[in-house]
Amino acid sequence: MENLVEIRGLKVEATTDSGRRLNIIKGVDLDIAPGEIVALIGESGSGKTTIALTLMGYTRPGCQISGGSIHVAGKDMVTLSERQRASIRGREISYVPQSAAAAFNPTKRIIDQVVEVTHIHKLMPSAEARQKAISLFRALSLPDPEQIGDRYPHQVSGGQLQRLAAAMALISDPQLVIFDEPTTALDVTTQIEVLRAFKSVMKKSGIAGVYVSHDLAVVAQIADRILVLRNGEVQEVGSTEAILNHAAHPYTRELLSAFEPKPRGDNLDAVPEAKPLLEINALTAGYGPIQADGLPLVRAVQEASITVQTGRNLGIIGESGCGKSTLARSIAGILPASSGKLALDGRQLAPSARQRSHEQLRELQIVFQHADTALNPAKSIEDILGRPLTFYHGMKGSARSTRIDQLLDMVHLPKTLRSRTPAELSGGQKQRVNFARALAAEPKIILCDEITSALDTVVAAAIIDLLKELQRELSLSYIFISHDLSVVEAICDEIVVMYRGQKVEQITAAISRIPQHPYSQLLFSSVPKLDPNWLDSLERDPELVKTYAHA
Amino acid sequence: MTLSTPLSSKFSYSFSWVGMIGLAIIVFWAVIALAAPHIIPYPIGEIVDEDYFGPMSSKLLFGSDYLGRDMLSRLMMGARYTVGISLAAVCIACFSGTALGMAAAVIGGWFDTVLSRFLDALNSIPSKLSGLVVAAAIGSSINVLIVMLAVIYTPGAYRFARALAVNVNTMDYITVARTRGESILYIIFSEILPNIMGPLLADFGIRFVFITLLLSGLSFLGLGVQPPYADWGALVHENISGLPFGAPAVIVPSLAIASLTISVNLLIDNLPKKIRDRSA
């Protein structure tokens, strides 16, 4: 059978601000048969999105296709004029972006945006387009398909919006749909619904797809073939089955091994006497004006009581909006708790960081999710790491300089990075610096707020290993906040599950891995597994899903 | 892209030709202003031409003014007032505006509200009008002019700095600094200021242009620098009757104002950019 897409020797180059040319895609071949879904997988910077975009003849500003051919349905997207490409885009090839929330215009009704493509290409009359959109909404199992289009983008949930973006891409009956990390921004419980909807629609309509993702488990559910990319080169191509079970290339194996659950090796006996380090008692925190009962209007965290033992780690998981980050912020004193008590090492902690003593601030450090915004872009790595040393320990000159070297060494970064600014570091390196800054204070407990969620699987696994290693050396305790269960399981002794601001369950990983609370059960069962049949065989209690998932 | 050139491989900044031309003209006027008393061909008060509004000649390079004085000398000395007063005023306005703006963004609360409303009120008075009123009420010495121009342009600088600082203030690294227990002064000057320096410099340039133009306008109306001294605006004013004769005395100072303000704009639109790709 004739292939729908044939990419031969594709090369894309980028021009940097110093005028240097850089090959970002170095000769990639790709075939897609009609109705086949091919996944492009790789870490950030591997060129997966760049390749997907070239299928529409598009490159991002500063980039250009410098060689090769891209035949889609017989037409070479490289040699076509911009006008000819425009007539193909949206009609024959369409695109589902990563963040549907950013892709929808907030001032227009959803249905008008979904049918817009049919107006641009004059495909069908308005009324017919609306009918088609509604049938697509139904096929994507959106609630209330007749009326949902009349809403504005902010009136539907993230998972619904992502499916609506898919409807927008499918309305013109394209031959090829490009999915660019469409479920990355979603909670696991929501992700399942979206994946199921995508899978059934694609299968029914026989449309070919390109699925860009960094998550092997997600890709395993939906793709027929997988293309593993790194640094703009194809590492390995094969059927999903073959890649998952008989990966030949070392990089693919590395990707797969980052997925294997790595439970904490050390047992509880390793810690001689666990005494409470951080005690949180009936903490309530939130936002908005203070009500008559002395509590804020919106209570993001309600009456949470948690204890962290010396040298032990606590994981807090839950979907977005469950209050886990708010809890971290009130522990750190950024958002003062409105009621409840906090005690560190037996001493009372004031609700606000401003009222805490120098020593208390030093002992409890927080590491944020986005190293991009947590490191001052105007400062060098040396200054960033040196400040807590001067501030807490009064270090100066060569003592400070030696300590900075030690800190860089601890997080496995070369000393040559000292004089660089954060913008000159990779994502993983930035997160290491971010963590080293917390270490510089020599704290007793470190609050890690989603510190691996912005990183690629392989890089995140390395960070987790680093955290474990440092814990052994420095007898630290972590509070690890994440929506990713596998990350939390890998490092934490105890797991607290939060839902709607409340602690629903506390699981001690060493004793029992089986959650009791229905929400925890739903959450634990929603984590994608590498098994390609996982999604199809997954059975979820519809009542449970209705109560807890907001897809 | 084609206009840019790396300044040096070590510092890796790219600086476009347009920006360099702007900088060259600014440096030129700054040198003239500094060296004027030593290089003027004739004393500025001396009548050297028998005719008034004399044409350009080898003896009088820019012709003579309405009294027959040497225009070149007067223009060079005028640069001292135009550049000096504007620079002093813009420094005061930008320093106080930026410091208050960053403090308002970091401290927030009532401090921010009261200060913002007060400076908004000040900002709502048309700048020329308040200049006229002040000059008419307490006369116009050079010190009064500097303070007046600074006060008129402080609210704008405040608004600009506050808007920038509010954005930076929400960044995680500010939160990290706060939870570390840092003082407000440290947060303002060490964490926020380096990140908003670029836009602030651009604002400094724009404000310098505004002040130069306002000063020239006031001088043109006879309320700025008083005779026998004259800045460029006053030079245009006193020689305006030469316009029907096409006298260089009225055209040259106008061109001087234009060249300075345009070159400042060219420079701030084309400030050197740091090259992030260092492996080149």
Side-chain angles (χ1 to χ4, degrees), chain A residues 16-18 20 329 332 334 353-354 358 361 366 368 370 373-379 384 387-388 391-392 419 421 423-424 437, chain B residues 1 4 6 14 106-107 171-176 178-183 186 190-192 194-195 274-280:
Chain A
T16 69
D17 50 6
S18 65
R20 194 166 57 104
R329 293 175 89 82
I334 300 160
R354 274 185 215 173
H358 207 63
L361 290 172
I366 182 163
F368 286 106
H370 297 289
T373 59
L375 302 178
N376 192 334
K379 294 188 162 198
I384 290 170
R387 181 63 194 173
F391 188 77
Y392 288 124
S419 55
T421 59
E424 294 165 327
R437 175 173 58 188
Chain B
M1 196 90 53
S4 71
S14 76
V106 173
I107 297 169
M171 290 292 175
D172 285 341
Y173 53 85
I174 304 295
T175 316
V176 170
R178 280 178 200 271
T179 53
R180 201 189 300 142
E182 300 282 6
S183 69
Y186 175 85
S190 198
E191 298 281 348
I192 294 182
N195 286 297
K274 196 171 185 182
I275 297 178
R276 286 176 57 195
D277 174 26
R278 281 212 196 153
S279 34

Side-chain angles (χ1 to χ4, degrees), chain A residues 403-455:
Chain A
R403 184 72 184 138
I404 292 172
D405 281 346
Q406 283 173 358
L407 285 168
L408 285 173
D409 204 41
M410 265 190 225
V411 294
H412 305 309
L413 286 176
K415 294 185 181 87
T416 47
L417 293 183
R418 282 177 67 133
S419 55
R420 300 226 199 141
T421 59
E424 294 165 327
L425 267 55
S426 72
Q429 287 176 327
K430 273 185 273 196
Q431 199 58 278
R432 281 164 196 265
V433 172
N434 196 9
F435 196 73
R437 175 173 58 188
L439 289 177
E442 292 172 23
K444 289 183 176 166
I445 185 161
I446 300 180
L447 274 167
C448 306
D449 188 1
E450 301 260 15
I451 63 168
T452 57
S453 59
L455 303 173

Side-chain angles (χ1 to χ4, degrees), chain B residues 147-167:
Chain B
V147 172
M148 181 181 78
L149 291 170
V151 169
I152 290 172
Y153 281 100
T154 298
Y158 165 83
R159 270 281 157 215
F160 192 74
R162 185 184 169 278
L164 290 170
V166 161
N167 280 340

Side-chain angles (χ1 to χ4, degrees), chain A residues 254 258 262 411-412 428 432 452 455-469:
Chain A
E254 205 181 323
K262 278 182 236 153
V411 294
H412 305 309
R432 281 164 196 265
T452 57
L455 303 173
D456 299 310
T457 0
V458 175
V459 183
I463 295 268
I464 294 291
D465 287 341
L466 173 71
L467 256 60
K468 284 187 192 171
E469 183 190 319

